[in-house]
Amino acid sequence: MNDAPSTSIHIAVPPSPAAAYDVIVEPGVLERLPALLAERAPAASYAVISDANVARLYGTAVVERLQSAGLSARLFIHGVGDAAKTIESWSALADELLAARVGRDRRVVGLGGGVSGDLAGFAAATLQRGVAFVQVPTSLLAMVDASIGGKTGVNTKHGKNLVGAFLQPRLVAIDPQVLRTLPEQELRSGAAEMVKHGAIRDVRHLEQLRDDAAAVRQGHGAALHQLILASVAIKAAVVARDPLESGERAVLNFGHTVGHALELLTDYRLPHGYAVAIGMVAAAHAGEAASITEPGTARALRETLAALALPSSPPMPLSADALLAAAGTDKKGRRGRTRYVLLRRLGEVAQPPDGGWTFELSDDIVRQALAALRPAAAGQL
Ligand code: GLY
């Protein structure tokens, strides 16, 4: 039974009108995927790509539903987790797809979390120099972030997402009902990216996240559906203005400079959203210390994160030197210098006088911000 009306957001990605696509957020949309694909992404056949867990929960049923509707479809399964987002997995998947004669008249469907979307998208971007693809995200993080905007790719030993391509999907189909099976830690991780969207663009979205924190943490309800739509709308608006991240799209990296450093220092044991949550608080403290961010912003951000059971302090004492060194390897640095997205206030990013979107901060300011992050009690994560 659907618990909210169908709604969609249209993203027009310049300069090519052909790159415009819809993000449909609709409870139960998985059931009408055959009709939707036939209409929005017609093809001779569909290659559905999932990890083993999502394949068991939804992948087999999706492929059977496509076949029952008279569409040709086949499931391709890759390994579970970030460890599977490698050049080797991409290579194995590309070989399987080529062996199954997946070419330009077929469609690749990424069904799963961010790993499946990124891997499927990168396979689609590179196979025969580009096969159209569709994103069907099943984790909250993939719904509000990874599936929107056309970033695809894999990790290498040099860092995350360092080999990849931009390929906008033909369609993003989001079924919030699948969130019922998502573990709470993954719901929280996705919620951190929603907090980021509110922090950079819309303070009312932040207030709504606080008011409806229970729905987010439980993974169901009409309120969660509306929050997903609001987050998608914020990300879509940024991506439509700067699809290739040559400027404004950098604001989506709020919290990610320290966040990526924390992931690196914890050997990626800290979930991405948790790292971003802590990174956002660090960036708010840094902005306040540099008199760029309105005082009280870090405190308000902490309160919202706490309502969503997200951490705002690292899980262990951190050496500022180690963190500064790790942050220096973030690929968003320009000319080798570490740069930070900062807020003017909640709901608004600050812009430096040169009209850019990121700030270079002195090590002293960053050290002050890191000192303001108290380590969480053992076991919190
Ligand atoms: N996840 C940030 C972006 O898509 O640009």
Side-chain angles (χ1 to χ4, degrees), residues 64 85 134-135 140 142 212 249-250 278 289 338 369 375:
E64 282 172 7
K85 207 175 119 177
V134 171
Q135 290 268 29
L140 184 58
D212 294 322
R249 188 166 176 167
I278 300 162
T338 308

Side-chain angles (χ1 to χ4, degrees), residues 194-200 202-211 301 304 346-347:
M194 299 169 89
V195 169
K196 178 194 77 182
H197 290 148
I200 61 170
D202 185 356
V203 76
R204 282 166 313 168
H205 186 49
L206 277 183
E207 287 158 9
Q208 211 61 55
L209 278 164
R210 270 167 73 150
D211 290 350
L301 205 46
T304 305
L346 281 183

Side-chain angles (χ1 to χ4, degrees), residues 145-146 148-151 166 193 196 235 238-239 245 249-250 252-253 256 272 332:
D145 186 17
I148 320 285
K151 281 188 178 175
F166 282 102
E193 296 286 357
K196 178 194 77 182
K235 175 146 190 193
V238 174
V239 165
E245 199 172 308
R249 188 166 176 167
L252 295 170
N253 295 325
H256 282 61
H272 177 70
K332 272 92 192 178

Side-chain angles (χ1 to χ4, degrees), residues 103-116:
R104 287 195 185 144
D105 60 341
R106 315 290 161 111
R107 301 286 172 262
V108 168
V109 179
L111 173 71
V115 172
S116 293

Side-chain angles (χ1 to χ4, degrees), residues 158-183:
H158 299 286
K160 288 182 84 174
N161 301 319
L162 291 182
V163 173
F166 282 102
L167 177 69
Q168 300 296 338
R170 289 285 171 95
L171 171 74
V172 182
I174 296 176
D175 186 345
Q177 285 182 341
V178 304
L179 295 175
R180 290 168 198 265
T181 57
L182 201 68

Side-chain angles (χ1 to χ4, degrees), residues 287-322:
E288 289 184 35
S291 302
I292 292 167
T293 303
E294 205 170 79
T297 303
R299 184 183 40 77
L301 205 46
R302 279 180 188 270
E303 284 166 11
T304 305
L305 294 169
L308 293 157
L310 278 161
S312 47
S313 321
M316 71 299 199
L318 272 178
S319 134
D321 285 341

